[in-house]
Amino acid sequence: MQPHSISQVWDQVTGTQAAPGSTVVWAMAAVALVAVGWRAVWHLSRNVVTIAHEGGHALVALLMRRRLHGIRLHSDTSGLTVSSGKPYGPGMVFTAAAGYTAPSLLGLGGAWLLSAGHTTALLWAVVALLLGVLIEVRNAFGVLTVLTTGALCFAVSWFGGAELQGAFAYLSVFFLLLGGVRPVVELQTKRARGQARDSDADQLARLTRLPGLLWIVLFLAVSLGSLALGARWLLP
């Protein structure tokens, strides 16, 4: 972008940009699918989904007027968001349910922005959200992960041309839409093996007395629904 004044920056952020060609769009969808489906790549790329997951917990905790104590992101792609308040009730339920739905809903919001031509606005919104997460991160690996992701998004939005911005934005949104599905499937696989007994779904089961499997179905419905609608908006 590299504008030379605040007004130019504002015009670029609030204005619209042309969508990439259909070949680029399909190519970015394919790259995102590889990043989610190939285990070796997923082990690294899943960190981005974890940022969105824990950021979702943190944002909803604040909206529910809970006290947020911090976020931790770990090298095994797990994470933890700690907040305090009533250990029961709607606030706790919404906070616990936000994690597995956040990546897909963020992807859906990004797809809506891209369908309206707001590529630069999307990239800057992502940078702003990552900055908000960074403020709450409480461990070195988490800081490094969020800083790296944020620096990449900022570099593309500030120095990249329209073609690069468009391709990167579509790749990011496709990745969130696809990446929101796999963790839900992985979670249920672990639960079926008797693992992850303190997962979000199991915490919600204890809070609401509804089966954990029902919450898994809800997570999956949100992720698949977001993927279907987002793909409809984005794919030529």
Side-chain angles (χ1 to χ4, degrees):
M1 180 167 65
Q2 301 187 66
H4 302 289
S5 69
I6 294 176
S7 62
Q8 285 179 303
V9 173
W10 181 252
D11 289 342
Q12 183 75 9
V13 173
T14 58
T16 59
Q17 295 79 37
S22 60
T23 301
V24 174
V25 173
W26 281 103
M28 293 304 98
V31 173
L33 183 61
V34 170
V36 173
W38 190 1
R39 179 174 296 181
V41 180
W42 176 243
H43 182 70
L44 295 175
S45 63
R46 196 183 194 280
N47 287 293
V48 177
V49 177
T50 303
I51 294 173
H53 179 114
E54 300 304 331
H57 282 311
L59 177 59
V60 174
L62 291 174
L63 292 175
M64 294 293 106
R65 298 185 178 182
R66 296 176 61 80
R67 184 176 180 182
L68 184 62
H69 296 286
I71 298 171
R72 301 181 70 87
L73 304 172
H74 305 132
S75 58
D76 63 354
T77 73
S78 66
L80 176 67
T81 298
V82 179
S83 65
S84 60
K86 288 183 179 180
Y88 55 86
M92 187 62 193
V93 171
F94 281 116
T95 299
Y100 278 98
T101 56
S104 296
L105 293 178
L106 285 173
L108 185 61
W112 178 78
L113 284 173
L114 290 181
S115 69
H118 296 295
T119 303
T120 304
L122 168 64
L123 294 175
W124 279 59
V126 170
V127 172
L129 290 172
L130 287 170
L131 180 60
V133 172
L134 180 62
I135 293 171
E136 298 296 338
V137 172
R138 297 293 184 266
N139 67 320
F141 180 82
V143 170
L144 177 62
T145 302
V146 177
L147 273 178
T148 302
T149 307
L152 177 60
C153 293
F154 176 78
V156 171
S157 66
W158 189 262
F159 300 108
E163 295 82 3
L164 177 60
Q165 285 189 18
F168 182 80
Y170 272 75
L171 173 61
S172 301
V173 170
F174 278 126
F175 175 76
L176 286 173
L177 291 171
L178 291 165
V181 178
R182 181 164 179 173
V184 180
V185 176
E186 291 177 340
L187 173 59
Q188 181 53 29
T189 301
K190 290 181 179 180
R191 294 181 72 251
R193 295 172 179 170
Q195 303 170 349
R197 295 186 178 183
D198 200 35
S199 69
D200 292 355
D202 294 287
Q203 291 182 43
L204 286 163
R206 291 191 290 269
L207 286 167
T208 63
R209 299 184 181 179
L210 297 174
L213 182 59
L214 182 61
W215 288 102
I216 294 291
V217 171
L218 176 61
F219 296 158
L220 194 59
V222 171
S223 60
L224 290 177
S226 298
L227 174 59
L229 183 55
R232 182 178 179 182
W233 285 341
L234 296 180
L235 292 175

